[in-house]
Amino acid sequence: MATINDVATKAGVSTATASRALNGKSTVDPKLAERVLVAAAELGYQPNGPARNLRRQETAVLALIISDVENPFFTSIARGVEDVAQAVGYSVVLCNSDENPEKERRYIDVAIQERAAGIVLSPTGTTTNVDLLTARRTPLVAVDRPLPDAPADMVLVDTRSAAKEATAHLISQGYGQIGCITGPSGIQTADDRLAGYKDALRASQRRISAKLTRRAEYRADGAYEAAIDLLSSPDRPDALLVANSTMAIGVLEALSKLDLRLGTDVGVVAFDDAPWAPLVNPPLSVVSQPAYDIGKVAAQLLMARIADSSLPYTTTTLRAKLITRGSSTR
Protein backbone atom coordinates (compact mmCIF):
# COMPACT_ATOMS: atom_id res chain seq x y z
CA MET A 1 0.00 0.00 0.00
CA ALA A 2 1.33 3.44 -0.95
CA THR A 3 2.56 5.68 1.88
CA ILE A 4 2.64 9.45 2.29
CA ASN A 5 6.36 9.27 1.49
CA ASP A 6 5.58 7.54 -1.82
CA VAL A 7 3.13 10.29 -2.70
CA ALA A 8 5.62 13.01 -1.81
CA THR A 9 8.36 11.36 -3.91
CA LYS A 10 6.12 10.94 -6.94
CA ALA A 11 4.89 14.55 -6.69
CA GLY A 12 8.42 15.89 -6.13
CA VAL A 13 7.57 17.62 -2.84
CA SER A 14 8.44 17.18 0.81
CA THR A 15 6.44 14.82 3.01
CA ALA A 16 5.21 17.81 5.01
CA THR A 17 3.96 19.54 1.86
CA ALA A 18 2.24 16.33 0.71
CA SER A 19 0.55 15.98 4.09
CA ARG A 20 -0.67 19.57 4.08
CA ALA A 21 -1.98 19.24 0.51
CA LEU A 22 -3.84 16.02 1.27
CA ASN A 23 -5.44 17.67 4.27
CA GLY A 24 -6.60 20.63 2.18
CA LYS A 25 -4.38 23.24 3.79
CA SER A 26 -4.63 26.58 2.01
CA THR A 27 -0.94 27.33 2.64
CA VAL A 28 0.08 24.92 -0.14
CA ASP A 29 0.65 26.40 -3.58
CA PRO A 30 -2.32 25.30 -5.78
CA LYS A 31 -0.02 23.82 -8.45
CA LEU A 32 1.86 21.78 -5.85
CA ALA A 33 -1.43 20.68 -4.29
CA GLU A 34 -2.65 19.54 -7.71
CA ARG A 35 0.53 17.48 -8.22
CA VAL A 36 0.08 15.83 -4.83
CA LEU A 37 -3.58 14.98 -5.49
CA VAL A 38 -2.72 13.49 -8.90
CA ALA A 39 0.13 11.47 -7.39
CA ALA A 40 -2.12 10.19 -4.62
CA ALA A 41 -4.76 9.14 -7.12
CA GLU A 42 -2.25 7.38 -9.38
CA LEU A 43 -0.69 5.49 -6.46
CA GLY A 44 -4.01 4.62 -4.89
CA TYR A 45 -2.94 6.24 -1.64
CA GLN A 46 -5.46 5.85 1.19
CA PRO A 47 -4.85 7.89 4.37
CA ASN A 48 -6.12 6.59 7.68
CA GLY A 49 -9.37 8.50 7.26
CA PRO A 50 -11.57 6.75 9.82
CA ALA A 51 -9.07 7.21 12.65
CA ARG A 52 -8.43 10.82 11.69
CA ASN A 53 -12.11 11.64 11.51
CA LEU A 54 -13.00 9.76 14.68
CA ARG A 55 -11.05 12.41 16.56
CA ARG A 56 -13.31 15.01 14.96
CA GLN A 57 -16.39 12.78 15.49
CA GLU A 58 -17.23 12.75 11.82
CA THR A 59 -17.09 10.17 9.05
CA ALA A 60 -14.75 10.19 6.06
CA VAL A 61 -17.76 10.85 3.85
CA LEU A 62 -18.90 13.87 1.87
CA ALA A 63 -22.54 14.39 0.93
CA LEU A 64 -23.18 15.68 -2.58
CA ILE A 65 -26.73 16.97 -3.01
CA ILE A 66 -27.48 17.79 -6.64
CA SER A 67 -30.64 19.08 -8.30
CA ASP A 68 -31.14 16.52 -11.07
CA VAL A 69 -29.14 13.30 -11.37
CA GLU A 70 -30.43 12.77 -14.94
CA ASN A 71 -28.85 16.03 -16.13
CA PRO A 72 -25.31 15.36 -17.49
CA PHE A 73 -24.24 18.77 -16.14
CA PHE A 74 -24.75 17.62 -12.56
CA THR A 75 -23.26 14.17 -13.11
CA SER A 76 -20.09 15.86 -14.41
CA ILE A 77 -20.00 17.98 -11.26
CA ALA A 78 -20.31 14.77 -9.25
CA ARG A 79 -17.34 13.25 -11.06
CA GLY A 80 -15.20 16.28 -10.27
CA VAL A 81 -16.12 16.08 -6.58
CA GLU A 82 -15.49 12.35 -6.42
CA ASP A 83 -12.09 12.45 -8.11
CA VAL A 84 -10.73 14.95 -5.58
CA ALA A 85 -12.39 13.26 -2.59
CA GLN A 86 -11.15 9.77 -3.47
CA ALA A 87 -7.59 11.02 -3.85
CA VAL A 88 -7.54 12.11 -0.21
CA GLY A 89 -9.40 9.16 1.28
CA TYR A 90 -12.98 10.42 1.35
CA SER A 91 -16.04 8.71 -0.06
CA VAL A 92 -18.93 10.60 -1.65
CA VAL A 93 -22.62 9.88 -1.11
CA LEU A 94 -24.77 11.17 -3.98
CA CYS A 95 -28.20 12.59 -3.18
CA ASN A 96 -30.70 13.71 -5.83
CA SER A 97 -33.00 16.47 -4.58
CA ASP A 98 -34.94 16.33 -7.86
CA GLU A 99 -35.52 20.12 -7.63
CA ASN A 100 -37.69 19.34 -4.60
CA PRO A 101 -37.05 21.53 -1.50
CA GLU A 102 -38.54 18.88 0.81
CA LYS A 103 -36.22 16.16 -0.52
CA GLU A 104 -33.33 18.57 -0.22
CA ARG A 105 -34.17 19.26 3.43
CA ARG A 106 -34.39 15.54 4.20
CA TYR A 107 -30.99 14.90 2.63
CA ILE A 108 -29.45 17.73 4.65
CA ASP A 109 -30.93 16.15 7.80
CA VAL A 110 -29.49 12.76 6.87
CA ALA A 111 -26.05 14.27 6.21
CA ILE A 112 -26.12 15.81 9.69
CA GLN A 113 -27.32 12.60 11.35
CA GLU A 114 -24.63 10.55 9.62
CA ARG A 115 -21.95 13.08 10.62
CA ALA A 116 -20.83 13.81 7.07
CA ALA A 117 -17.52 15.64 7.07
CA GLY A 118 -18.86 18.22 4.61
CA ILE A 119 -21.51 18.91 2.00
CA VAL A 120 -21.45 20.05 -1.62
CA LEU A 121 -24.91 21.41 -2.44
CA SER A 122 -26.65 22.59 -5.57
CA PRO A 123 -29.52 24.56 -3.99
CA THR A 124 -33.04 23.95 -5.29
CA GLY A 125 -33.80 27.68 -5.11
CA THR A 126 -34.68 30.52 -2.79
CA THR A 127 -36.32 28.18 -0.25
CA THR A 128 -33.08 26.31 0.48
CA ASN A 129 -32.34 26.54 4.20
CA VAL A 130 -28.92 25.62 5.58
CA ASP A 131 -29.39 27.00 9.10
CA LEU A 132 -28.88 23.56 10.66
CA LEU A 133 -25.57 23.16 8.83
CA THR A 134 -24.50 26.63 9.91
CA ALA A 135 -25.44 25.94 13.53
CA ARG A 136 -23.40 22.72 13.53
CA ARG A 137 -20.54 24.36 11.59
CA THR A 138 -20.71 21.66 8.95
CA PRO A 139 -18.41 22.65 6.06
CA LEU A 140 -20.51 23.58 3.02
CA VAL A 141 -19.84 24.54 -0.59
CA ALA A 142 -22.67 25.68 -2.87
CA VAL A 143 -22.30 24.93 -6.59
CA ASP A 144 -24.06 26.26 -9.70
CA ARG A 145 -26.54 28.33 -7.67
CA PRO A 146 -25.60 30.74 -4.87
CA LEU A 147 -26.59 30.80 -1.23
CA PRO A 148 -26.47 34.60 -0.83
CA ASP A 149 -26.99 34.84 2.93
CA ALA A 150 -25.21 31.68 4.08
CA PRO A 151 -21.67 31.36 5.44
CA ALA A 152 -20.46 29.06 2.67
CA ASP A 153 -17.93 28.84 -0.12
CA MET A 154 -19.48 28.94 -3.60
CA VAL A 155 -18.46 27.82 -7.09
CA LEU A 156 -20.56 29.43 -9.81
CA VAL A 157 -20.51 30.12 -13.55
CA ASP A 158 -21.04 33.53 -15.14
CA THR A 159 -24.09 32.40 -17.10
CA ARG A 160 -25.47 35.89 -17.61
CA SER A 161 -22.48 36.86 -19.75
CA ALA A 162 -22.65 33.51 -21.51
CA ALA A 163 -26.34 33.98 -22.32
CA LYS A 164 -25.60 37.45 -23.66
CA GLU A 165 -22.83 36.05 -25.89
CA ALA A 166 -25.06 33.23 -27.18
CA THR A 167 -27.90 35.64 -27.99
CA ALA A 168 -25.49 38.05 -29.67
CA HIS A 169 -24.32 35.12 -31.81
CA LEU A 170 -27.90 34.45 -32.94
CA ILE A 171 -28.32 38.15 -33.75
CA SER A 172 -25.08 38.11 -35.79
CA GLN A 173 -26.43 35.20 -37.82
CA GLY A 174 -29.36 37.31 -38.97
CA TYR A 175 -32.19 35.84 -36.91
CA GLY A 176 -34.97 38.39 -36.55
CA GLN A 177 -37.19 37.09 -33.75
CA ILE A 178 -35.14 35.51 -30.98
CA GLY A 179 -36.95 33.84 -28.11
CA CYS A 180 -35.81 32.42 -24.78
CA ILE A 181 -36.98 29.36 -22.86
CA THR A 182 -35.59 29.46 -19.35
CA GLY A 183 -36.16 27.87 -15.94
CA PRO A 184 -38.45 28.79 -13.05
CA SER A 185 -38.50 32.30 -11.61
CA GLY A 186 -36.41 32.63 -8.49
CA ILE A 187 -33.74 30.12 -9.53
CA GLN A 188 -30.64 32.23 -10.04
CA THR A 189 -29.35 30.41 -13.11
CA ALA A 190 -32.73 30.74 -14.85
CA ASP A 191 -33.01 34.42 -13.99
CA ASP A 192 -29.41 35.11 -15.08
CA ARG A 193 -29.85 33.46 -18.46
CA LEU A 194 -32.98 35.46 -19.14
CA ALA A 195 -31.17 38.63 -18.04
CA GLY A 196 -28.24 37.88 -20.35
CA TYR A 197 -30.63 37.30 -23.25
CA LYS A 198 -32.20 40.71 -22.58
CA ASP A 199 -28.76 42.33 -22.25
CA ALA A 200 -27.90 41.23 -25.79
CA LEU A 201 -31.20 42.51 -27.20
CA ARG A 202 -30.65 45.90 -25.55
CA ALA A 203 -27.06 46.04 -26.83
CA SER A 204 -28.32 45.54 -30.39
CA GLN A 205 -31.20 48.01 -29.83
CA ARG A 206 -33.82 45.34 -30.28
CA ARG A 207 -37.20 45.42 -28.60
CA ILE A 208 -37.65 43.14 -25.60
CA SER A 209 -41.00 41.37 -25.70
CA ALA A 210 -42.50 39.10 -23.04
CA LYS A 211 -44.26 37.30 -25.89
CA LEU A 212 -40.92 35.81 -26.92
CA THR A 213 -40.00 34.33 -23.53
CA ARG A 214 -41.30 31.35 -21.60
CA ARG A 215 -40.47 29.84 -18.21
CA ALA A 216 -40.74 26.15 -17.37
CA GLU A 217 -39.30 23.59 -15.00
CA TYR A 218 -35.79 22.47 -15.90
CA ARG A 219 -37.31 19.41 -17.58
CA ALA A 220 -37.88 18.18 -21.12
CA ASP A 221 -41.66 18.01 -20.80
CA GLY A 222 -41.95 21.58 -19.50
CA ALA A 223 -39.72 22.89 -22.27
CA TYR A 224 -41.74 20.92 -24.85
CA GLU A 225 -44.97 22.62 -23.80
CA ALA A 226 -43.27 26.02 -23.69
CA ALA A 227 -41.78 25.54 -27.17
CA ILE A 228 -45.09 24.33 -28.65
CA ASP A 229 -46.81 27.41 -27.24
CA LEU A 230 -44.08 29.80 -28.37
CA LEU A 231 -43.60 28.34 -31.85
CA SER A 232 -47.35 28.13 -32.53
CA SER A 233 -47.89 31.84 -31.93
CA PRO A 234 -48.55 34.20 -34.87
CA ASP A 235 -45.22 35.97 -34.38
CA ARG A 236 -43.21 32.85 -33.62
CA PRO A 237 -39.47 33.24 -33.08
CA ASP A 238 -37.02 32.03 -35.69
CA ALA A 239 -34.36 31.33 -33.04
CA LEU A 240 -34.30 30.18 -29.42
CA LEU A 241 -31.94 30.38 -26.48
CA VAL A 242 -32.64 27.35 -24.25
CA ALA A 243 -31.57 27.24 -20.61
CA ASN A 244 -30.17 23.69 -20.37
CA SER A 245 -29.66 20.45 -22.28
CA THR A 246 -32.61 18.65 -20.69
CA MET A 247 -34.91 21.44 -21.84
CA ALA A 248 -33.26 21.30 -25.28
CA ILE A 249 -34.58 17.73 -25.67
CA GLY A 250 -38.11 19.05 -25.20
CA VAL A 251 -37.48 21.85 -27.70
CA LEU A 252 -36.21 19.37 -30.32
CA GLU A 253 -39.32 17.24 -29.78
CA ALA A 254 -41.49 20.33 -30.28
CA LEU A 255 -39.71 21.22 -33.53
CA SER A 256 -40.34 17.69 -34.81
CA LYS A 257 -44.00 17.84 -33.77
CA LEU A 258 -44.49 21.14 -35.61
CA ASP A 259 -42.53 20.04 -38.69
CA LEU A 260 -39.96 22.80 -38.17
CA ARG A 261 -36.34 22.17 -39.19
CA LEU A 262 -33.58 22.75 -36.66
CA GLY A 263 -31.11 25.36 -37.89
CA THR A 264 -33.21 26.19 -40.95
CA ASP A 265 -36.63 27.19 -39.67
CA VAL A 266 -35.51 27.75 -36.07
CA GLY A 267 -31.96 28.39 -34.88
CA VAL A 268 -31.15 27.02 -31.43
CA VAL A 269 -28.41 27.51 -28.84
CA ALA A 270 -28.74 25.56 -25.59
CA PHE A 271 -26.79 25.63 -22.36
CA ASP A 272 -24.58 22.59 -21.60
CA ASP A 273 -22.70 20.42 -24.06
CA ALA A 274 -24.46 17.09 -23.54
CA PRO A 275 -22.80 14.04 -25.16
CA TRP A 276 -25.61 13.83 -27.73
CA ALA A 277 -25.43 17.51 -28.77
CA PRO A 278 -22.93 17.03 -31.65
CA LEU A 279 -24.91 14.01 -32.90
CA VAL A 280 -28.22 15.67 -33.83
CA ASN A 281 -28.74 16.92 -37.37
CA PRO A 282 -27.52 19.59 -37.63
CA PRO A 283 -25.26 19.49 -34.55
CA LEU A 284 -26.51 21.60 -31.66
CA SER A 285 -24.78 24.87 -30.75
CA VAL A 286 -24.18 25.05 -27.01
CA VAL A 287 -22.90 27.11 -24.12
CA SER A 288 -20.47 24.66 -22.55
CA GLN A 289 -20.14 25.06 -18.79
CA PRO A 290 -17.05 23.68 -17.00
CA ALA A 291 -19.09 21.22 -14.93
CA TYR A 292 -16.22 18.90 -14.00
CA ASP A 293 -14.13 21.87 -12.87
CA ILE A 294 -17.04 23.13 -10.74
CA GLY A 295 -17.02 19.84 -8.85
CA LYS A 296 -13.25 19.71 -8.62
CA VAL A 297 -12.89 23.23 -7.25
CA ALA A 298 -15.81 22.69 -4.86
CA ALA A 299 -14.20 19.56 -3.41
CA GLN A 300 -10.85 21.30 -3.01
CA LEU A 301 -12.54 24.17 -1.18
CA LEU A 302 -14.41 21.71 1.01
CA MET A 303 -11.19 19.87 1.91
CA ALA A 304 -9.60 23.17 2.86
CA ARG A 305 -12.63 24.12 4.96
CA ILE A 306 -12.59 20.75 6.76
CA ALA A 307 -8.92 21.25 7.58
CA ASP A 308 -9.30 24.88 8.69
CA SER A 309 -12.75 26.26 9.49
CA SER A 310 -11.36 29.77 10.07
CA LEU A 311 -10.58 30.39 6.39
CA PRO A 312 -12.44 33.34 4.81
CA TYR A 313 -15.38 32.34 2.64
CA THR A 314 -14.83 32.65 -1.09
CA THR A 315 -16.90 32.74 -4.28
CA THR A 316 -15.22 31.29 -7.36
CA THR A 317 -16.83 32.26 -10.67
CA LEU A 318 -15.86 30.23 -13.73
CA ARG A 319 -16.49 31.08 -17.36
CA ALA A 320 -18.57 29.20 -19.92
CA LYS A 321 -17.65 28.75 -23.58
CA LEU A 322 -19.89 29.23 -26.61
CA ILE A 323 -19.51 26.41 -29.15
CA THR A 324 -21.24 27.21 -32.44
CA ARG A 325 -22.47 24.40 -34.65
CA GLY A 326 -24.98 23.91 -37.44
CA SER A 327 -28.10 24.57 -35.37
CA SER A 328 -27.38 28.31 -35.21
CA THR A 329 -25.08 29.18 -38.10
CA ARG A 330 -26.26 30.39 -41.49
Side-chain angles (χ1 to χ4, degrees):
M1 182 176 291
T3 66
I4 187 73
N5 290 330
D6 295 330
V7 174
T9 299
K10 186 171 182 63
V13 300
S14 69
T15 302
T17 297
S19 178
R20 290 198 303 274
L22 290 169
N23 281 287
K25 297 291 186 181
S26 62
T27 53
V28 181
D29 180 271
K31 291 183 179 179
L32 292 182
E34 176 72 12
R35 275 165 41 194
V36 171
L37 292 175
V38 169
E42 291 178 352
L43 293 170
Y45 171 72
Q46 295 291 331
N48 189 4
R52 176 187 59 200
N53 290 302
L54 184 61
R55 293 194 296 271
R56 295 198 296 249
Q57 295 193 347
E58 63 190 29
T59 59
V61 171
L62 306 180
L64 171 60
I65 306 174
I66 59 175
S67 303
D68 182 4
V69 73
E70 294 182 345
N71 187 332
F73 171 74
F74 288 110
T75 51
S76 291
I77 289 177
R79 184 57 187 267
V81 171
E82 184 187 36
D83 283 353
V84 172
Q86 287 286 322
V88 293
Y90 281 78
S91 298
V92 179
V93 175
L94 178 63
C95 309
N96 176 37
S97 69
D98 210 26
E99 299 284 7
N100 183 323
E102 180 60 24
K103 285 184 70 174
E104 178 184 69
R105 186 193 62 77
R106 289 201 302 270
Y107 279 131
I108 289 174
D109 288 345
V110 169
I112 291 172
Q113 292 164 12
E114 297 300 322
R115 298 181 183 274
I119 296 177
V120 177
L121 170 68
S122 171
T124 56
T126 55
T127 59
T128 295
N129 189 314
V130 295
D131 288 350
L132 287 176
L133 297 176
T134 301
R136 297 178 64 91
R137 298 184 179 179
T138 302
L140 170 66
V141 179
V143 294
D144 184 46
R145 305 168 186 177
L147 285 168
D149 301 320
D153 297 298
M154 299 182 220
V155 185
L156 312 174
V157 177
D158 184 3
T159 58
R160 180 168 182 165
S161 293
K164 179 180 179 181
E165 182 183 5
T167 306
H169 160 69
L170 290 169
I171 293 170
S172 74
Q173 294 300 302
Y175 292 102
Q177 290 267 85
I178 301 170
C180 178
I181 298 178
T182 191
S185 178
I187 293 181
Q188 189 69 50
T189 52
D191 293 346
D192 282 349
R193 288 164 204 186
L194 181 60
Y197 157 82
K198 291 179 178 178
D199 289 342
L201 295 182
R202 289 191 193 95
S204 66
Q205 298 184 330
R206 292 198 177 194
R207 184 173 63 90
I208 296 172
S209 171
K211 294 180 180 179
L212 292 174
T213 63
R214 295 290 186 278
R215 286 187 181 268
E217 295 296 323
Y218 273 137
R219 305 285 187 187
D221 53 356
Y224 171 82
E225 296 296 337
I228 289 289
D229 181 43
L230 196 54
L231 295 171
S232 300
S233 62
D235 296 322
R236 71 168 179 83
D238 59 355
L240 291 172
L241 175 68
V242 184
N244 76 5
S245 61
T246 305
M247 298 180 91
I249 293 172
V251 170
L252 295 178
E253 290 174 347
L255 291 176
S256 177
K257 177 72 173 179
L258 297 172
D259 262 344
L260 295 171
R261 294 167 296 172
L262 176 67
T264 301
D265 298 317
V266 182
V268 175
V269 178
F271 270 77
D272 302 328
D273 194 13
W276 53 263
L279 305 179
V280 300
N281 185 25
L284 187 66
S285 295
V286 297
V287 175
S288 178
Q289 298 190 89
Y292 178 86
D293 288 341
I294 293 172
K296 178 180 172 182
V297 172
Q300 290 171 339
L301 288 171
L302 195 59
M303 292 294 102
R305 178 70 51 195
I306 291 169
D308 184 358
S309 61
S310 68
L311 292 172
Y313 295 106
T314 63
T315 296
T316 303
T317 303
L318 306 178
R319 291 190 60 82
K321 179 183 179 183
L322 175 64
I323 301 175
T324 59
R325 300 181 178 128
S327 71
S328 66
T329 55
R330 286 178 161 177

